[in-house]
Amino acid sequence: MEQLKTYAPLVTRIFLAAVFIPAGLGKLGDVAGFAGYLTSGGLPGFLAWPSIIFEILLGVSMLIGFQARWMALLGAGFCVLAGLLYHFAPADQMQMIMFFKNLGIAGAFLMIFAHGPGKLAVDKA
């Protein structure tokens, strides 16, 4: 059980990094298209670059466990906001699955915020 407590936070952080690093890097291939997508949810397109940079930094922060608590809190807010703006469509089952997936990811971020990044991280708190 102690080994699980040692490695579970690291595995959680790796899984989160595996979502956010490729997502951010993938958006670099079509920043204008992503800016258009942002406007479809009511956000201004100029937030494309800050969003891309945030996703990459969030993923790297989770991967190495640096400033993990604060980045996790920001990541939770990011996921809830993205879910509400882009996936909350009760009439569309697939969008609702994506919405609840965003809430689940936000929950993982909140656990990191509450309990820290674990022993195997740059930050030990």
Side-chain angles (χ1 to χ4, degrees), residues 8-120:
L10 174 63
V11 171
T12 301
R13 293 189 348 258
I14 290 170
F15 286 173
L16 290 168
V19 172
F20 287 92
I21 293 172
L25 293 175
K27 289 176 179 80
L28 291 174
D30 186 11
V31 177
F34 176 58
Y37 181 69
L38 281 178
T39 62
S40 76
L43 294 176
F46 72 81
L47 291 176
W49 275 107
S51 296
I52 292 167
I53 292 166
F54 176 73
E55 280 190 87
I56 295 168
L57 290 177
L58 178 62
V60 170
S61 171
M62 291 301 106
L63 186 63
I64 66 174
F66 179 71
Q67 295 295 315
R69 283 183 186 255
W70 293 112
M71 289 299 284
L73 185 60
L74 293 172
F78 182 87
C79 288
V80 171
L81 183 63
L84 288 169
L85 292 177
Y86 298 98
H87 301 297
F88 187 76
D92 185 335
Q93 182 180 12
M94 184 55 72
Q95 288 303 315
M96 290 308 291
I97 289 170
M98 297 299 289
F99 171 73
F100 286 115
K101 190 179 290 187
N102 272 37
L103 293 185
I105 293 170
F109 278 131
L110 289 174
M111 290 295 288
I112 292 169
F113 174 72
H115 299 287
K119 294 178 183 177
L120 302 174

Side-chain angles (χ1 to χ4, degrees), residues 1-8:
M1 189 61 109
E2 283 305 311
Q3 282 190 358
L4 184 59
K5 287 182 182 180
T6 298
Y7 292 104

